[in-house]
Amino acid sequence: MSIELPFPSTEILTLTRHILSEQIRLGAAATGDLTLLINAIEFTSKFIASNVRKARLINLSVPHLSPRPLCCIDNWLLISVGLAGDTNVQGEEQKKLDVLSNDIMVNSLRASRKTAVLISEELDHAVVIEEEYKGKYCVVFDPLDGSSNIDAGVNVGTIFGIYKVRQGSEGTIDDVLRPGSEMVAAGYTMYGSSANLVLSTGNGVNGYTLDPSLGEFVLTHPDIKIPPRGKIYSFNEGNSLYFHPPTINYLNSIKYPPAGKSPYSARYVGSMVADVHRTLLYGGIFGYPDDKKSKNGKLRLLYEAFPMAFLTEQAGGIATTGTRRILDIVPTTIHERSSVYLGSRDDVLDVITFYQAEAKSA
C-alpha cells in the first residue's frame, strides 16, 4: 500500500517580492524609492552576515592575546589584524568589523541614490550625500550592535530607521532631529545561527530569514504580534546598585510576586538586537533604564531606541522611558541617549505604574 506524501510548498515570499506587493497595493501613491532603499539595506545585511560568519577566520574581530609571535610584533601590525585602532564617538573601541560594516552601509545607501542624510553610531558627524547621489530619505543606523560579543558567538545585528526628508528641505541634519513617530520604516537584521531581518513600514511587523541557498530573505514570521503579557524580563542587573527606585520596585514585583503567581524568568544576552528579537516573539519586557551612573540612559535615541520602539508599537507593544512615550521625544543631537523600556503592553504598563507611584510620593 503506497502512501501519498504532500508536495512541499513552492510558495516562497521573499522580502523583495513582499515589499513590491506592498508598493503595488499603494498604487499611484508609491514611487518605488522606499522599495529600492530597503533593497539596498537588504543587500547590506547579506554582505554583513557573510562577514560576521567569517570574522574569526579572517581576523575581523578582537584577537586573543597569546604567546604566539603575533603578540611580540610592532603595535601597528597588531592593530591591523585586530582592532581598528580608533574609538567611535561613544568612546567604544572600534573593531575592524564595526568599521567594515559601517563602510558597507554608507556606500550601499549612498549608491542607492535614495538617501540625503546618513547617521551612524560609528561616525561623529552626519553624512550629507552629495547632490549627484541625493535622494529623499534619511537613514539612521547602528551598523553592528553588540560587536564586542562576536568572539563569544553571541548574536549581533544592524539596527536602522528611515525618515523622509521634509517637504522643501534639501536634506539636512534637521530632517533626522525629529520624533521617532515620524519615521516611515524601521527594522533590524540579527546575525547568528541564521540571519533574520525584521521590518516595519508602518503597517505591522514582518520577519524574514536569509536562505543561503537562494541568497534571499524569505518571509518566515508574518505579522508579528507581541503577547499582551510575557514571562521573561531582560535587564542588565549588574547595574542594580545604580537603579532608581521605580526600576528596583518593578523588578522585585516580578521576581518576588504574591503567593499564587510565578516569578518571571531572566534572560539577558547583552546584545540589544537579540534581546528585543526574543521579546517581540515571546513577549515580556526589555529594559535599559537611566540610573545614577548613566543619567540619560545608555542606549542611543535615534538609531537604537527609536527603531526598536517603532517595531514594538507596530507589533502591539509599548515603548517608554518610564515617564513618556519614546517615539514622542524630539532629539536635540544625533547621538543623544535615552532610557528604554519596551515589550508586552501589560508588562510595560506595570513599569509606568511604579514611576507614577514614585512621582506621587515625591
Side-chain angles (χ1 to χ4, degrees):
M1 180 178 177
S2 62
I3 301 176
E4 291 187 5
L5 297 176
F7 286 105
S9 173
T10 56
E11 181 66 19
I12 298 175
L13 189 56
T14 65
L15 171 59
T16 302
R17 181 179 160 195
H18 201 190
I19 57 178
L20 281 173
S21 64
E22 181 67 11
Q23 179 184 325
I24 293 169
R25 184 186 68 82
L26 292 173
T31 63
D33 286 352
L34 183 59
T35 299
L36 291 172
L37 177 54
I38 292 172
N39 275 337
I41 292 173
E42 178 187 14
F43 169 77
T44 299
S45 296
K46 294 175 188 176
F47 201 153
I48 296 175
S50 174
N51 282 286
V52 167
R53 286 196 301 271
K54 296 182 293 188
R56 205 48 210 142
L57 298 174
I58 56 177
N59 288 318
L60 283 175
S61 59
V62 185
H64 291 295
L65 297 181
S66 67
R68 294 180 299 163
L70 175 64
C71 297
C72 303
I73 61 178
D74 293 337
N75 287 338
W76 70 267
L77 184 54
L78 179 62
I79 288 172
S80 73
V81 298
L83 300 179
D86 205 351
T87 57
N88 64 15
V89 69
Q90 315 305 330
E92 300 163 338
E93 202 162 17
Q94 288 179 302
K95 314 301 185 292
K96 285 179 69 176
L97 193 53
D98 287 344
V99 177
L100 178 63
S101 299
N102 182 70
D103 289 347
I104 292 168
M105 285 285 287
V106 171
N107 290 333
S108 179
L109 294 172
R110 175 178 173 271
S112 73
R113 296 176 183 262
K114 302 303 174 189
T115 58
V117 180
L118 306 178
I119 303 293
S120 169
E121 183 197 27
E122 301 299 332
L123 301 174
D124 293 7
H125 306 289
V127 176
V128 179
I129 305 299
E130 62 270 37
E131 198 62 38
E132 180 185 358
Y133 291 90
K134 185 168 288 188
K136 60 181 182 182
Y137 290 99
C138 305
V139 184
V140 295
F141 57 91
D142 183 346
L144 201 65
D145 177 68
S147 57
S148 61
N149 291 319
I150 288 178
D151 274 354
V154 173
N155 289 5
V156 294
T158 300
I159 308 171
F160 60 89
I162 302 173
Y163 288 95
K164 192 171 183 178
V165 172
R166 284 174 167 154
Q167 191 170 3
S169 172
E170 295 182 359
T172 69
I173 195 171
D174 290 334
D175 287 302
V176 297
L177 295 180
R178 296 152 62 188
S181 57
E182 294 185 20
M183 283 183 169
V184 296
Y188 61 81
T189 306
M190 182 177 69
Y191 314 109
S193 57
S194 60
N196 302 94
L197 194 156
V198 176
L199 174 70
S200 174
T201 55
N203 188 31
V205 181
N206 292 291
Y208 309 82
T209 302
L210 181 61
D211 185 335
S213 64
L214 298 176
E216 293 282 357
F217 279 97
V218 177
L219 181 65
T220 51
H221 297 78
D223 196 23
I224 296 172
K225 295 295 182 188
I226 303 179
R229 183 175 290 279
K231 299 178 180 178
I232 298 171
Y233 71 98
S234 183
F235 286 67
N236 181 2
E237 292 192 88
N239 290 329
S240 293
L241 175 65
Y242 310 107
F243 283 164
H244 294 304
T247 307
I248 295 171
N249 294 336
Y250 170 71
L251 290 175
N252 285 338
S253 75
I254 58 176
K255 290 192 292 184
Y256 310 104
K261 289 189 176 182
S262 299
Y264 279 36
S265 298
R267 298 285 187 275
Y268 183 71
V269 176
S271 171
M272 187 185 189
V273 169
D275 285 316
V276 172
H277 187 70
R278 181 193 57 248
T279 303
L280 283 174
L281 296 183
Y282 302 150
I285 185 168
F286 167 83
Y288 213 116
D290 57 346
D291 54 34
K292 298 168 188 172
K293 183 174 66 171
S294 303
K295 299 188 184 302
N296 296 317
K298 184 177 180 183
L299 297 177
R300 271 68 67 169
L301 187 60
L302 266 181
Y303 41 80
E304 290 177 328
F306 275 173
M308 293 308 199
F310 188 93
L311 290 169
T312 299
E313 290 197 3
Q314 285 292 316
I318 294 177
T320 180
T321 64
T323 58
R324 65 183 302 193
R325 181 186 180 220
I326 288 175
L327 292 180
D328 286 341
I329 300 172
V330 180
T332 56
T333 64
I334 61 174
H335 297 297
E336 187 172 330
R337 298 175 186 262
S338 175
S339 175
V340 174
Y341 298 94
L342 59 82
S344 295
R345 183 190 67 246
D346 293 347
D347 289 314
V348 180
L349 287 175
D350 287 345
V351 172
I352 293 172
T353 300
F354 282 98
Y355 272 89
Q356 290 172 340
E358 176 74 9
K360 288 179 181 178
S361 63

